[in-house]
């Protein structure tokens, strides 16, 4: 990485990342060497513990990719743990009010901007090898706060949420949003599509945060970029591996009936 992820995000560069749900430093590292811009290490649906999370972040850094952490919810101690482990930012799911957004921003930054506990002995402070005088401004410039809009009740609050100072990106979650609107598994349903367009419109009207979203494949990426103007997109490594493995199995595994014919 030539520049911190937060700077690239705020500059509205086209960026593509991967959600890593498996508790695997190797997968995070593979994403970096493959050329992706960032990983989101998923602790909402993924099983990684605190020690594994640190190793995932190390692996991402070693391969030159930014590491963000999706915490299960906007808890102060979960945000603290992710940032102390060295994450460049946090992703918080199911944010529905500006008050929640303000609290998350405060939890993500040190006093002067927020209420994050100070411990330069953690990995983020290079285990005590960075001075407080250097660490505080570096952290302020580097730490990203990304909030997910994926609930029907959040739709009327998007402008207020996006307008909170310190929110770097509004991340649309099409899967949960479609379920919340009564159309589970149908992110292309007209009501869901209209809601997504509204989130993009309301966020852009505020003029601050960048819109980002989850995508399924390259065709989906083209649609989001060309039709919705969204440049920061994220794939699921589980979907990548499952699709590739299923394709290989269909191409290479000999069907049982063929095996039986060969044995006859």
């Amino acid at each position: 990485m030539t520049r911190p992820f937060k700077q690239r995000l705020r500059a509205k560069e086209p960026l593509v990342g991967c959600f890593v749900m498996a508790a695997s430093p190797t997968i995070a590292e593979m994403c970096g060497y493959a050329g992706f811009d960032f990983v989101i290490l998923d602790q909402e649906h993924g099983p990684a513990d605190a020690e594994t999370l640190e190793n995932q972040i190390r692996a991402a850094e070693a391969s030159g990719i930014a590491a963000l952490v999706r915490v299960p919810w906007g808890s102060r101690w979960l945000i603290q743990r992710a940032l102390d482990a060295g994450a460049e930012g946090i992703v918080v799911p199911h944010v529905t009010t500006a008050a929640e957004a303000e609290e998350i921003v405060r939890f993500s930054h040190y006093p002067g901007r927020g209420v994050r506990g100070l411990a330069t002995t953690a990995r983020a402070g290079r285990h005590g090898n960075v001075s407080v005088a250097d660490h505080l401004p570096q952290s302020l410039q580097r730490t990203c706060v990304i909030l997910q809009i994926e609930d029907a009740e959040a739709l009327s609050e998007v402008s207020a949420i996006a307008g909170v100072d310190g929110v770097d990106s509004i991340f649309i979650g099409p899967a949960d949003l479609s379920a919340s609107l009564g159309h589970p598994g149908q992110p292309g349903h007209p009501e869901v599509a209209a809601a997504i367009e509204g989130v993009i419109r309301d966020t852009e009207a505020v003029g601050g945060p960048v819109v980002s979203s989850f995508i399924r494949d390259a065709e989906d990426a083209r649609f989001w970029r060309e039709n919705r103007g969204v440049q920061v997109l994220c794939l699921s490594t589980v979907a990548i591996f499952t699709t590739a493995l299923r394709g290989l199995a269909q191409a290479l595994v000999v069907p049982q009936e063929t095996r039986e014919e060969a044995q006859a």
Side-chain angles (χ1 to χ4, degrees), residues 96-132:
T96 58
T97 68
E100 287 178 73
E102 290 170 356
E103 188 172 62
I104 291 163
V105 171
R106 288 172 58 244
F107 291 163
S108 302
H109 293 290
Y110 292 118
R113 181 67 186 83
V115 294
R116 177 182 168 188
L118 177 61
T120 56
T121 51
R123 185 173 181 274
R126 298 294 184 262
H127 307 293
N129 287 294
V130 176
S131 69
V132 173

Side-chain angles (χ1 to χ4, degrees), residues 240-250:
I240 292 169
F241 292 143
T242 299
T243 300
L245 290 171
R246 187 185 297 120
L248 285 169
Q250 291 172 351

